[in-house]
């Protein structure tokens, strides 16, 4: 049992950001929050206290869309256009993961940096390579990161060196799923790259695996105007991108993670809602490669589950906190250019990055009773001449902060990193 | 005399980014670069060397538009709309600068943080208050920051507590200009807030001061659709925002700094070019408060001088390097939404933030022979598993880096800060 004292900020729902100045969080020996309070309750009077003074305690972040193998390309070639970026940088890099030594080096750094930036839960793309993706899963599992990780499937319309033969792709996927099905933290997820690089046979067989192993799916959905049309062209009988996955039996198990979801039709939205899936906004990524801007406010108002992704390396920064700011900022640009668009406020974006995305995992994303104490302690954000309130400090962290503002990181009640 | 060894990156022009792996910069005792070379020239064989190994040496940045008094509000209230943000946050904050003690505290931190983020040259707004703005100038002068600093003028259409009486405003401005006219680094500049808050009498009298003291002007030009129309409405005889300043005699001395310049008419562009003025893009600021996106490519192609501004606190981050990334990113969004817009590449944005904006000051913004060694040493950007080239590391710094990547700072050849 332990008590943490400081300024406490967490989302209760999309409209309510709880802000407790000088509060106490009581955490039990399983790392679960027993109580959050303005004073120490009588029965905990003798429990030892960790005092963070004026620092701010917030829930750790979740990154719902990130390509771990693309980490070596973060922050470069960002002025390229999509096709050049894919063919000259992204695909050649992904082909390197046939080398397990290379994979081990990259994935070790990737997972360390995730934690450094305060991300403790993630939905992660690997590559087509089983041994490399096994290494990625093991790194995440060993570090205790609650995550869904996928070996990528792609059997058409990709560079020769990345195309799989359909049956081998399915066989490798089944091996991958079986190998990691008993993991405690890092769980397998099916990962067809996106509709234009998958045959219907591949998707259909992945649907069978989904049912057989009760396992969810991550992919890219209506990520660009090109992809939206191309997907329909490739799958003639389907009326929209989501319809393809429904037909293939890929929406029957949870979770379903739809990265980007920028240009959904009403039917796409309806199907995503029916399967209780998540749409993931990756604001910097979709502006770096000119895909467009998600209709975040509309989707939130329709009750679609929304999360935020760093989308390395179309995105360039691993910290989800910067993406919280970018979600708000992009909603303003969208409102400037398009009619009848509402903007997103800070509370909503923070909720997306913490409590709503955390709901994909086990008891994380908030600091309410019953949640794991997966938390960050933020420091050095206030000025001596102008004291801000705790929630303002969290906003400042997202807009103006960096990794130096994360003083401590707790995972399930355990201090995992400290300056 | 001193030699610096490392990877060297600087702009020669907007299309040419020089990248010298394992290069040498020879700096004389005045802090001026004598030579940049692949090897140590014979005559410098005995000069002592500072070896930065694989680290990258780049020119220090210039921030061409920043409101120092708004620094306490950085990164908060960023989901507000412009009118609320001004009336609830910005104007009340600026009124605090009647208190010199408050000003001293803020401006000390502001100038320290500028340097910390690698900005060594700046064009800075103060407030209407002389004593406070004197403190700001003195802080910049004492730290040796080459800068233009203005006491703000506004005599109409503002909150009561910030409106000046016209003659007093002019009298105070003349006092301010005379007081700082012999400064070595931090020089006065006339600073009418923007056309809608200035009477023509005020602008006209500022024009007289400009001629009398041979001193330039900074202001906001066509910063929003509202401002563009309002300016013309307030000054009936003028056909565009720039025309107002021309009529008032405010374009006769250098420099003329036009912050934002988002919605210029052809006439605005023509007048700005005639006076060899600068347009300053503040990408995060103009998206945070929904003003719009500068037509950067078009202006660059027309030969307009362009710089980059942090525009604290409509902007939220003091480091100009992040804004370099944002300039590229916003050009892609603009290309997505508007027709016939070309995107900006990294070379161009870096050139704007260094050599082109540096040309406003004395011998800064590049690492060529004859320039002051105002430089940053960047570290910890490379991966062991994937060595990048020096220019790629600089791009990564702008997209994915933070202040921890700035290992050392040199101003006119003097080491001013080191971890």
């Amino acid at each position: 049992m332990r008590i943490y004292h400081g300024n406490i900020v967490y989302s209760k729902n999309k409209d309510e950001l709880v802000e407790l100045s000088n509060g106490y969080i009581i955490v039990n020996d399983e790392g679960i929050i027993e109580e959050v309070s303005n004073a120490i309750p009588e029965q905990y009077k003798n429990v030892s206290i960790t005092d963070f003074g004026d620092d701010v305690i917030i829930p750790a972040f979740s990154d719902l869309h990130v390509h771990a193998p693309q980490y070596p390309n973060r922050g470069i070639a960002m002025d390229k256009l999509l096709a050049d970026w894919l063919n000259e940088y992204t695909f050649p890099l992904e082909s390197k993961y046939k080398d397990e030594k290379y994979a081990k080096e990259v994935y070790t750094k990737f997972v360390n940096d995730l934690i450094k930036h305060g991300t403790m839960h993630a939905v992660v793309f690997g590559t087509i390579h089983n041994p490399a993706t096994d290494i990625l899963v093991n790194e995440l599992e060993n570090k205790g990161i609650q995550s869904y990780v996928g070996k990528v499937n792609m059997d058409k319309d990709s560079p020769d060196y990345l195309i799989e033969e359909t049956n081998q792709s399915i066989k490798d996927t089944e091996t991958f799923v079986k190998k990691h099905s008993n993991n405690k933290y890092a769980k397998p997820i099916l990962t067809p790259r996106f509709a234009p690089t998958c045959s219907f046979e591949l998707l259909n067989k992945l649907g069978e695996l989904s049912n057989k192993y009760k396992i969810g799916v991550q992919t890219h959905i209506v990520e660009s105007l090109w992809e939206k049309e191309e997907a329909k062209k490739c799958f003639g009988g389907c009326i929209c991108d989501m319809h393809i996955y429904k037909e293939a039996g890929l929406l029957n198990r949870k979770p379903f993670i739809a990265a980007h979801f920028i240009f959904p039709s009403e039917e796409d939205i309806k199907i995503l809602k029916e399967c209780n899936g998540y749409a993931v906004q990756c604001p910097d990524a979709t502006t770096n490669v000119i895909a467009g801007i998600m209709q975040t406010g509309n989707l939130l108002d329709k009750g679609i589950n929304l999360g935020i992704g760093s989308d390395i390396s179309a995105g360039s920064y691993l910290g989800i906190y910067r993406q919280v700011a970018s979600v708000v900022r992009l909603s303003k640009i969208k409102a400037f250019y398009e009619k009848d668009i509402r903007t997103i406020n800070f509370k909503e974006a923070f909720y997306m990055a913490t409590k709503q995305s955390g709901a994909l995992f086990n008891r994380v994303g908030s600091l309410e009773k019953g949640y794991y104490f997966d938390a960050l302690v933020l420091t050095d954000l206030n000025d001596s001449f102008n004291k801000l309130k705790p929630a303002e400090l969290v906003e400042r962290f997202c807009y103006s902060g960096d990794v130096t503002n994360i003083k401590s990181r707790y995972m399930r009640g355990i201090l995992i990193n400290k300056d």
Side-chain angles (χ1 to χ4, degrees), chain A residues 70-76 78 109 113 312-313 315-318:
Chain A
Q70 296 175 19
Y71 198 54
N73 278 353
R74 69 194 179 285
I76 63 166
M78 296 272 68
K109 182 171 169 62
D113 286 358
I312 297 290
S313 68
S316 33
Y317 194 76
L318 201 55

Side-chain angles (χ1 to χ4, degrees), chain A residues 40 81 83 90 121 124 207 243 257 272 303 313 378 382 387 419:
Chain A
I40 302 173
L81 300 188
T90 307
H121 333 105
V124 188
H243 191 204
I257 310 289
L272 186 65
S313 68
L378 305 181
N382 228 332
K387 289 284 178 202
D419 290 326

Side-chain angles (χ1 to χ4, degrees), chain A residues 24 59 65 111 142 194 204 208 227 266 301 386 389 398 404:
Chain A
Y24 298 87
H65 183 60
V111 175
N142 292 339
F194 65 168
N204 223 23
E208 290 166 16
E227 192 270 329
E266 282 306 314
D301 295 341
N386 209 50
K389 284 182 270 181
C398 293
T404 62

